[in-house]
Amino acid sequence: MSYVDEVISMVEKKNANEPEFIQAVREVLDSIRPVVEAKEEQYRRDALLERMVEPERQIKFRVPWIDDEGQVHVNTGYRIQFNSAIGPYKGGIRLHPSVNIGIIKFLGFEQVYKNSLTGLPIGGGKGGSDFDPKGKSDREIMAFCQSFMTELCRHIGADTDVPAGDIGTGAREIGYLFGQYKRIRNVYEGVLTGKGLTYGGSLARTEATGYGLLYFVEEMLRCRGIGLEGKIVSVSGAGNVAIYAVEKAQQLGAKVVTVSDSNGWIYDPEGIDVELLKEVKERKRARLTEYAANRPSAQYHEGRGVWSVRVDIALPCATQNELRLEDAKMLVENGVLAVAEGANMPTTIEATEYLQKNGVIFAPGKASNAGGVATSALEMSQNSERLSWTFEEVDQKLKGIMVNIFRNVDRAAKRYGMEGNYVAGANIAGFEKVADAMNAQGIC
Ligand code: GLU
């Protein structure tokens, strides 16, 4: 058995009830085969892959909090410090009822290679809780965040581990978490990113993941002589990534006709009204039915269905495994040109392979959604030098980073004879840097 296969089957046995983690590991290890085979003896002796699939540290803790009626609730908190070979652990905090150790491990594993691709000095980590923010009052959100940080604060720090937002964690939650960290540790430092602009946040961080996704897509299409002007686009999700993907796509001349949330989806043939979407989702924290009620051209449908719409470009920006084989088949039948992931691992392995086999240009999230964490690293730089850069400065840097990621991914794929396979390119380019740094630092 090859070394890669040995490690995949070891991971499957050891983490049998963590399907998303197995999926993420399998995808990466499968596509770095040629790199590993070239140095198989050395990597096997050094157990390099075994070390890469085992988090450096896993923290699991109790999060008790009191609701507005005086009832106590208990959630489970997690922080996985996956790999610090190239910098302090970096990655978001996900608050969603689906969170468990396997989800956080898959996200942490992805984060290691994504962060490597940014070219910036950040290792990989991820955290979260099975807490459900839906329907909670501000007061309850604050109670949860303060309790979560009361434990987390002893494990993190500006030079150790720097969490940020993810699903369920936005500006409000980051504010409460930051306040509690400062109160307990008595240090004012850039321990979190995605902070508000009055207390160390970076301009353009809010927009960064969605904008970055479009900068990546723009470059990926540009090198084939294709522009975004006039393209019809579907977006799934209606959170931070989706909103700013819609905004940038429309700024670049495309028309976005869908968005979705956990209850249903919108088809808006006139193009999504992004200001209305922000009003509904960012300010009112309401459902998409509210969008439809205020937009005559919009149709609201219950359930799933975004991928049934005929489009040129599909941007899954909601959550893991939301684009499945049957969706990929519909997209191909409708002549889709490109699929680019805004969320983390939104496309199943079978769907990814189907799209690639049918000539669809496919951008994997760890490359195409890296703009968020890259801008987090820019926020860390600004915090370290105690300065703030202008929106234009950060946005320009973000654009440069995304173009560079595309070029590195493209080059890595070509180097191993897999031109146009950006899944392989991203995994290889991300892996090479981490492997090199781990190798240089000895067995640890
Ligand atoms: N949660 C985002 C991601 O998946 C951002 C992480 C960060 O900024 O640290 O990359």
Side-chain angles (χ1 to χ4, degrees):
M1 209 194 267
S2 76
Y3 178 41
V4 163
D5 287 317
E6 263 173 43
V7 176
I8 292 178
S9 81
M10 182 273 285
V11 167
E12 284 171 346
K13 268 192 215 105
K14 196 169 167 184
N15 309 275
N17 43 19
E18 296 171 3
E20 293 84 3
F21 179 57
I22 292 172
Q23 181 184 342
V25 168
R26 183 189 275 281
E27 187 215 276
V28 170
L29 295 194
D30 249 340
S31 54
I32 60 167
R33 276 176 201 279
V35 189
V36 174
E37 272 157 23
K39 287 190 180 170
E40 179 149 336
E41 207 179 311
Q42 182 205 330
Y43 285 173
R44 195 195 283 269
R45 184 199 60 209
D46 293 347
L48 181 80
L49 298 182
E50 287 89 333
R51 286 186 286 137
M52 280 185 162
V53 297
E54 183 70 28
E56 287 177 21
R57 192 172 298 107
Q58 306 185 49
I59 302 148
K60 185 175 174 191
F61 51 98
R62 178 170 71 200
V63 190
W65 57 278
I66 307 173
D67 72 17
D68 291 345
E69 267 67 60
Q71 175 65 51
V72 177
H73 298 263
V74 180
N75 287 101
T76 308
Y78 304 92
R79 185 73 186 166
I80 302 234
Q81 300 180 329
F82 217 113
N83 192 307
S84 62
I86 61 176
Y89 310 106
K90 183 84 198 83
I93 291 172
R94 177 172 293 193
L95 302 181
H96 192 270
S98 65
V99 164
N100 58 45
I101 193 84
I103 296 278
I104 301 297
K105 263 167 80 179
F106 118 66
L107 290 164
F109 184 76
E110 288 281 297
Q111 200 81 45
V112 173
Y113 304 96
K114 180 198 311 200
N115 294 3
S116 164
L117 284 173
T118 65
L120 300 166
I122 37 178
K126 200 85 183 192
S129 173
D130 56 359
F131 173 74
D132 186 359
K134 217 173 276 165
K136 304 287 190 298
S137 68
D138 281 359
R139 172 71 192 76
E140 290 169 333
I141 298 283
M142 182 167 72
F144 172 83
C145 289
Q146 290 183 337
S147 181
F148 186 85
M149 184 53 88
T150 300
E151 171 59 34
L152 187 67
C153 73
R154 69 186 85 220
H155 307 289
I156 62 176
D159 295 315
T160 310
D161 182 358
V162 182
D166 196 81
I167 293 173
T169 306
R172 173 182 57 173
E173 291 74 18
I174 293 292
Y176 295 148
L177 291 164
F178 184 78
Q180 186 74 350
Y181 179 87
K182 181 165 59 73
R183 201 172 159 207
I184 301 179
R185 296 285 300 265
N186 196 26
V187 231
Y188 202 110
E189 60 174 5
V191 66
L192 292 155
T193 58
K195 298 185 293 299
L197 298 178
T198 51
Y199 61 96
S202 173
L203 283 159
R205 175 63 189 88
T206 307
E207 294 83 354
T209 314
Y211 278 22
L213 173 64
L214 268 297
Y215 295 147
F216 188 95
V217 170
E218 193 182 28
E219 182 64 17
M220 180 171 80
L221 297 182
R222 199 191 56 79
C223 80
R224 293 173 161 79
I226 306 169
L228 274 165
E229 191 69 43
K231 294 283 178 294
I232 307 296
V233 178
S234 54
V235 166
S236 64
N240 170 266
V241 181
I243 291 171
Y244 293 94
V246 173
E247 181 166 279
K248 184 51 76 178
Q250 313 216 124
Q251 282 173 10
L252 295 173
K255 182 165 35 165
V256 181
V257 294
T258 68
V259 282
S260 64
D261 64 16
S262 50
N263 293 5
W265 60 286
I266 294 284
Y267 175 58
D268 191 343
E270 300 277 288
I272 297 291
D273 176 344
V274 80
E275 287 315 314
L276 175 59
L277 183 65
K278 285 184 194 173
E279 176 65 27
V280 170
K281 285 290 166 185
E282 290 183 339
R283 283 180 280 283
K284 292 191 180 154
R285 300 180 192 278
R287 316 293 333 182
L288 283 174
T289 40
E290 185 86 9
Y291 176 94
N294 289 286
R295 177 87 172 157
S297 58
Q299 302 162 18
Y300 177 79
H301 303 272
E302 285 287 328
R304 305 176 74 243
V306 162
W307 312 124
S308 63
V309 177
R310 176 181 293 270
V311 292
D312 303 305
I313 298 165
L315 305 175
C317 297
T319 194
Q320 67 271 359
N321 292 329
E322 51 157 315
L323 200 163
R324 309 169 193 158
L325 184 58
E326 64 269 24
D327 304 315
K329 286 183 178 165
M330 277 191 284
L331 286 168
V332 168
E333 203 170 306
N334 286 330
V336 76
L337 170 71
V339 174
E341 297 184 322
N344 290 312
M345 207 171 75
T347 317
T348 63
I349 292 189
E350 302 75 49
T352 304
E353 285 169 0
Y354 186 85
L355 292 167
Q356 287 177 320
K357 271 192 203 116
N358 284 278
V360 178
I361 310 165
F362 183 84
K366 61 170 83 64
S368 52
N369 80 24
V373 75
T375 308
S376 276
L378 301 180
E379 182 172 329
M380 289 164 74
S381 301
Q382 294 168 78
N383 292 165
S384 297
E385 60 176 17
R386 299 190 194 283
L387 290 173
S388 305
W389 306 340
T390 63
F391 186 96
E392 290 67 30
E393 210 174 337
V394 180
D395 191 39
Q396 269 315 97
K397 286 195 164 75
L398 167 63
K399 194 165 182 179
I401 290 168
M402 297 315 294
V403 167
N404 253 330
I405 295 176
F406 174 75
R407 293 193 182 149
N408 285 337
V409 164
D410 188 41
R411 239 181 279 131
K414 283 181 180 148
R415 233 187 312 127
Y416 285 90
M418 292 184 274
E419 183 162 357
N421 184 345
Y422 303 130
V423 174
N427 289 331
I428 291 170
F431 168 84
E432 282 179 334
K433 183 176 177 188
V434 177
D436 189 72
M438 285 178 74
N439 194 35
Q441 292 171 33
I443 303 305
C444 53

